[in-house]
Amino acid sequence: MVEKPSRKYSEKRPRKGHYVLKVLLLIVVVLLGGTSLFASKTYLDTRHAINKTYHGKPNRKADKRIKERDNLSILILGIDTGEEGRIDRGNSDTMIVATLNPNKKKMQMVSIPRDTAAQIMGANEFKMTKINSAYNLGGSEMAKDSVASLLNIPVNYYLTLDMKGLEKVVDAVGGVDVDVPFTFTSEATGGQTFYEGKRHLDGNMALAYARMRHEDPEGDYGRQKRQQQVIKAILSKAMSFTGVQHLSDLLNSLSESMATDISFDNMVGLFNNYRSAADKISSDSLKGQTAWIQTPDYDFPLSFQVVSDEELQRISDLLRDELGLEKETISNAETKENALNPEFKFGVDYDQNYVIQDLN
């Protein structure tokens, strides 16, 4: 029986917010924004700004899949880097898979809890730990590969940001409108109070709204819902955004906080071919069960989210369907570890022990 940590270890440190909200404006304005963007001087300014964020392969030719309007997936990472504006270290506290289906005119978003137990793909040896550490260990490509393995889907692109640009993004679209589910004061983010009902939030308040976790009865899952809620609000606002001429200034201000393997040519292709994907936006979350797991990196057990085979299959089926792929029975390190823990009961509402074994 693994002993649970003392209270000093089980309490969570307040974390700074840095979520996907800021990345979506880039997607939205380029995919859905002003119709004359690429026919003006802004074209050159925007190319320069986006090129500064490009961290992909040297070959920047337009992706054939984008030209042919294939269904695509993008991994959106919100990085725990603090205030320094770095995008080269830290854990990805926000992980969202977004699929774009231009034929269905639909975008599907699925949040992955940061504490999900997952195999880190590309590590020198078998390593199963919290999936949000993949970025810290091997950057955006390792995070992309690890999510692809966890859900048995192709992940075509990534967008990675720290928190610095969030307020600028929300303020750039004139704030966002959200429906606050209950009244709360977000103590860990500065003591902001949010009242139940429809509210208009500026950048500072939107950041706090997305960051809050401890006051939410659903914990991190409630936070994921609010993150996706604000994303949808940004999308809705950006659809009617008239300040496209300021896009290059915005992108330049975000360039130190953002990295992506979507080249400028592919951004243009997304703009031309995928704008309709935001006509309908659906949300979901991968849901796990709390377990205390001892790992080699710490001398005390940590709290993880362990996902059942059934839940992994549900989300895999959902995303594969959105990508136009046949369903496949999921079989990976996570399902193998589940099989090695037959006494672990999913769906039980109290913390349980779970043992990760080296599968090599």
Side-chain angles (χ1 to χ4, degrees):
M1 179 70 71
V2 178
E3 195 171 343
K4 293 183 182 179
S6 65
R7 182 171 178 78
K8 69 177 182 178
Y9 289 125
S10 60
E11 290 180 342
K12 300 289 187 180
R13 284 187 305 136
R15 291 181 179 267
K16 297 177 179 178
H18 30 260
Y19 295 108
V20 296
L21 319 177
K22 55 270 186 184
V23 71
L24 261 293
L25 180 65
L26 176 64
I27 295 175
V28 168
V29 176
V30 175
L31 272 64
L32 313 169
T35 57
S36 62
L37 172 62
F38 296 105
S40 67
K41 177 182 178 296
T42 310
Y43 174 94
L44 296 178
D45 294 337
T46 305
R47 175 187 283 276
H48 178 69
I50 291 178
N51 282 345
K52 290 198 296 185
T53 72
Y54 183 71
H55 289 241
K57 297 178 181 178
N59 182 2
R60 301 184 182 187
K61 292 183 179 179
D63 191 332
K64 182 179 179 181
R65 293 169 298 189
I66 293 178
K67 289 183 178 180
E68 297 180 352
R69 291 170 52 88
D70 288 348
N71 303 328
L72 297 175
S73 62
I74 301 173
L75 177 63
I76 303 168
L77 301 168
I79 305 304
D80 177 19
T81 58
E83 297 287 356
E84 295 88 349
R86 302 186 309 266
I87 52 173
D88 60 348
R89 65 185 68 178
N91 292 329
S92 52
D93 273 5
T94 294
M95 305 182 81
I96 292 182
V97 177
T99 60
L100 303 176
N101 190 318
N103 296 315
K104 287 185 178 180
K105 297 182 179 181
K106 182 181 178 183
M107 175 187 291
Q108 174 71 55
M109 293 188 296
V110 173
S111 295
I112 302 173
R114 63 185 186 179
D115 293 341
T116 300
Q119 183 180 9
I120 307 303
M121 304 304 295
N124 293 331
E125 56 187 16
F126 177 80
K127 188 173 185 66
M128 193 164 185
T129 185
K130 297 185 179 186
I131 197 168
N132 73 337
S133 67
Y135 177 83
N136 197 12
L137 293 170
S140 301
E141 288 292 342
M142 182 173 282
K144 190 164 73 169
D145 292 343
S146 299
V147 169
S149 174
L150 175 70
L151 301 178
N152 189 31
I153 59 167
V155 179
N156 303 119
Y157 297 106
Y158 70 80
L159 283 158
T160 303
L161 291 99
D162 69 15
M163 64 171 288
K164 282 185 73 71
L166 173 61
E167 292 184 24
K168 293 180 182 178
V169 169
V170 175
D171 289 337
V173 297
V176 293
D177 299 313
V178 300
D179 192 355
V180 180
F182 55 89
T183 299
F184 65 89
T185 298
S186 184
E187 298 293 349
T189 67
Q192 300 93 335
T193 297
F194 298 84
Y195 295 97
E196 181 179 355
K198 297 185 184 301
R199 305 295 169 190
H200 183 79
L201 307 180
D202 63 11
N204 176 269
M205 292 293 282
L207 171 61
Y209 183 71
R211 287 173 59 191
M212 187 277 282
R213 175 167 57 93
H214 296 290
E215 292 83 7
D216 197 311
E218 294 185 82
D220 197 44
Y221 292 105
R223 179 170 64 172
Q224 291 169 27
K225 291 179 181 179
R226 280 178 282 106
Q227 290 171 8
Q228 294 193 10
Q229 184 184 22
V230 178
I231 290 171
K232 291 180 181 179
I234 292 177
L235 285 167
S236 176
K237 199 66 179 291
M239 288 286 284
S240 59
F241 187 42
T242 58
V244 179
Q245 65 271 20
H246 302 301
L247 175 61
S248 61
D249 293 337
L250 176 62
L251 289 176
N252 274 309
S253 70
L254 292 177
S255 62
E256 299 301 320
S257 305
M258 179 171 65
T260 181
D261 58 354
I262 305 176
S263 69
F264 177 77
D265 286 343
N266 284 329
M267 286 280 188
V268 175
L270 289 172
F271 169 79
N272 288 329
N273 297 329
Y274 288 79
R275 282 175 288 175
S276 63
D279 286 357
K280 180 181 179 182
I281 305 169
S282 298
S283 303
D284 210 322
S285 296
L286 183 71
K287 297 177 177 63
Q289 173 75 40
T290 301
W292 294 93
I293 300 176
Q294 183 74 55
T295 68
D297 301 322
Y298 296 89
D299 59 1
F300 53 90
L302 300 177
S303 176
F304 281 73
Q305 289 295 299
V306 177
V307 184
S308 69
D309 293 4
E310 291 75 17
E311 177 68 356
L312 285 170
Q313 190 68 57
R314 182 183 75 85
I315 293 297
S316 178
D317 289 348
L318 171 66
L319 292 174
R320 290 182 69 86
D321 181 65
E322 292 300 323
L323 293 170
L325 302 174
E326 295 291 332
K327 296 178 181 179
E328 292 181 353
T329 300
I330 199 161
S331 178
N332 54 23
E334 290 71 41
T335 61
K336 293 175 183 177
E337 293 289 354
N338 288 344
L340 293 172
N341 286 270
E343 295 182 0
F344 185 83
K345 304 299 182 185
F346 289 98
V348 178
D349 60 356
Y350 54 82
D351 300 338
Q352 304 173 79
N353 294 318
Y354 189 93
V355 178
I356 289 177
Q357 299 186 35
D358 190 337
L359 298 179
N360 286 333

